[in-house]
Structures are given as C-alpha cells and as structure tokens.
C-alpha cells in the first residue's frame, strides 16, 4: 500500500539548502544557528536560498536561544521578522511560544499567526517543553496550526515514539504531527512504522573540516558549548537520499 510522505530538512546555510533539495527533500525549514536549535535566519540568507531553491521554504521565527517565554520587546522583533520574511515570498513559518507554567501561549500565538496569515504555520519543538502534551495539542488545533514538530517530549523522536504515536492518534487528521529530533538512517524506519507519521523532520548533516590553513586554536568565538571553530556541519546529499529511500520503502 503506497502512501505519500514528506521529508522536511532543517538547514542553516545555502549549501545545506541546495544539498537538501538535491537529495529529495520536500520542504526546507530555514534557520540560523542549528547549534541552538534554530533561530530566525537573516534576510540575506533567505534571499539567496530562494535564488537557488524551488521547494517550499518555511522560515523559523525565534529571536534567541533558550526558553520560549518571550518579552514584549522580543514579540516586537518576531512580528517585524514575520513582516519582513513575508515580503521575501517565503512559503510558511515555524514558530511557538509558551507561558511560564508550560502551556501553549495561545494569546501570543494568535497575534503571531495573524501577522503570518495567510501562510501556513508549524508549531516548533517548544511543544516538547509543555506541561501536558495532550492538552497542548488540542490548543494548537483550536488555534489553527497546520502541523506540530515534536520529538514526543523526549531527548529524541525514537525515545519519544510512544508519545508521538499517541499524539497522531489523538490528532485524527486535524493537525499534522511531524516527528523530528535525532532522526537518522538507523532509526527512521522504526519511527515511521511505530508512529504512522506521514511527514518527518531531519537535518541529515555530516561534518566537514574547515578549509582554513592558518588556525589559532587557542581562541573560540562562542561559549563553551559552541561548535568547533574549524569544523562545519552541512546537509549531506547522500544522507538525504538515504532517508528519502527509507521513507519510500517504509510507506
């Protein structure tokens, strides 16, 4: 029984975007700083990626790393970013916000969604930090989100598989539940078969050494958790193709 599926690849560079499309991705989640879980990309990155890419591009709206409880000033930034990105012709948005007690911030989400409409909107992995995932899912459905990205409120989609399955059963086609978080060639088949998901999210990246010949190894540009200065992580065409083939064979 053949079923359709869609592979979304999260990317934070032009090279990764090109590789993802070449490997068979059906949609891009375009971010900056995947090391921090994805932040709002620059206008320059959006413009250049759009020059090279034909598949739909959903842009992350997240003004900083850390939690999903936003100040009034941060909300201003998010709304302005949505306005600017709409002007670039993006195909959709990925966003989310929580209250201090771990609920979906319905009031703020309504404001952001009003700014983003008529474009489709995915609620991102802020969902994995909610107090009650079943209640949160009903909130997202009532707000009108098209999909939710989740690892099943666990360290990865594989560990969260029972919750992902429960959420898909609960959703009853009212919202797309898209597994994401640590999906690789080794676990994708198990996740798709165990959840019944029709869409999945991955980065499909591999590491590459910097082309720099002179290296000052005593200096780093970020905090202690930052990526190595002389290493790059880029979406890998062969990994994307592999994941695509696994999903086709599974579904």
């Amino acid at each position: 029984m053949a079923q359709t599926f869609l592979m979304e690849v999260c990317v934070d560079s032009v090279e990764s975007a090109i590789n993802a499309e070449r490997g068979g991705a059906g949609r891009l989640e375009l971010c900056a700083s995947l090391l921090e879980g994805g932040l709002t990309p620059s206008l320059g990155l959006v413009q250049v990626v759009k020059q090279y890419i034909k598949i739909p591009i959903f842009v992350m709206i997240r003004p900083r790393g850390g939690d999903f409880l936003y100040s009034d000033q941060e909300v201003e930034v998010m709304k302005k970013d949505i306005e600017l990105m709409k002007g670039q012709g993006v195909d959709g948005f990925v966003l989310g916000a929580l209250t201090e007690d771990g609920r979906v911030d319905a009031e703020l989400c309504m404001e952001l969604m009003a700014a983003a409409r008529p474009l489709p909107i995915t609620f991102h992995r802020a969902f994995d930090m909610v107090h009650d995932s079943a209640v949160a899912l009903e909130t997202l459905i009532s707000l009108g989100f098209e999909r939710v990205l989740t690892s099943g409120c666990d360290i990865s989609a594989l560990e969260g598989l029972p919750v992902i399955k429960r959420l898909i059963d609960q959703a009853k086609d009212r919202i797309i539940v898209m597994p994401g978080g640590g999906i690789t060639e080794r676990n994708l088949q198990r996740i798709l078969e165990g959840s019944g998901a029709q869409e999945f999210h991955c980065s499909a990246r591999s590491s590459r050494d910097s082309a720099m010949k002179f290296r000052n190894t005593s200096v780093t540009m970020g905090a202690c958790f930052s990526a190595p200065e002389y290493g790059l992580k880029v979406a890998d065409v062969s990994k994307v193709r592999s994941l695509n083939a696994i999903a086709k064979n599974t579904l």
Side-chain angles (χ1 to χ4, degrees):
M1 181 175 64
Q3 293 175 303
T4 59
F5 73 93
L6 189 142
M7 171 173 52
E8 176 181 272
V9 180
C10 53
V11 299
D12 60 3
S13 69
V14 179
E15 182 181 2
S16 286
I18 292 170
N19 288 349
E21 183 177 58
R22 189 177 297 159
R27 183 175 61 235
L28 298 182
E29 178 193 270
L30 184 59
C31 314
S33 191
L34 281 174
L35 184 67
E36 293 185 81
L39 304 177
T40 306
S42 71
L43 283 174
L45 179 59
V46 173
Q47 288 178 346
V48 176
V49 166
K50 280 190 64 63
Q51 290 173 19
Y52 288 93
I53 297 301
K54 296 291 187 290
I55 60 175
I57 299 168
F58 278 40
V59 168
M60 174 70 76
I61 299 296
R62 187 179 175 215
R64 56 160 173 79
D67 65 36
F68 303 99
L69 182 65
Y70 295 114
S71 69
D72 291 344
Q73 291 85 3
E74 288 168 338
V75 172
E76 283 185 56
V77 172
M78 295 166 85
K79 289 179 177 177
K80 179 56 70 173
D81 280 334
I82 289 170
E83 176 189 328
L84 293 170
M85 295 301 176
K86 281 177 83 173
Q88 299 304 312
V90 302
D91 300 288
F93 290 104
V94 182
L95 55 85
L98 303 180
T99 61
E100 63 182 10
D101 58 350
R103 293 176 294 110
V104 172
D105 190 334
E107 184 178 348
L108 175 52
C109 284
M110 280 192 285
E111 292 180 35
L112 297 174
M113 293 176 81
R117 290 303 189 198
L119 296 179
I121 307 165
T122 299
F123 193 93
H124 56 44
R125 285 190 62 204
F127 185 85
D128 291 324
M129 312 300 265
V130 299
H131 176 67
D132 186 320
S133 60
V135 171
L137 188 70
E138 293 301 324
T139 302
L140 298 186
I141 291 167
S142 68
L143 288 169
F145 280 91
E146 274 74 16
R147 74 180 47 77
V148 55
L149 171 63
T150 180
S151 64
C153 305
D154 214 321
I155 190 68
S156 76
L158 186 59
E159 279 79 7
L161 187 54
V163 173
I164 293 170
K165 174 68 164 66
R166 177 175 58 73
L167 292 168
I168 289 174
D169 291 344
Q170 178 187 341
K172 293 185 173 66
D173 297 324
R174 295 175 295 162
I175 188 172
I176 296 165
V177 178
M178 178 170 63
I183 290 181
T184 68
E185 302 99 313
R186 293 185 300 278
N187 60 31
L188 176 60
Q189 182 176 350
R190 183 173 166 191
I191 290 167
L192 292 179
E193 288 179 344
S195 67
Q198 296 300 301
E199 298 190 6
F200 67 96
H201 171 100
C202 59
S203 63
R205 294 190 297 170
S206 60
S207 298
R208 190 181 72 220
D209 194 41
S210 165
M212 286 293 296
K213 290 185 170 58
F214 171 76
R215 303 186 179 198
N216 183 352
T217 55
S218 64
V219 176
T220 59
M221 293 294 111
C224 59
F225 70 89
S226 63
E229 300 300 332
Y230 297 108
L232 303 170
K233 281 190 174 289
V234 180
D236 186 315
V237 175
S238 64
K239 285 191 176 186
V240 177
R241 282 181 180 149
S242 250
L243 288 160
N244 205 20
I246 291 166
K248 280 181 179 174
N249 291 333
T250 303
L251 298 174

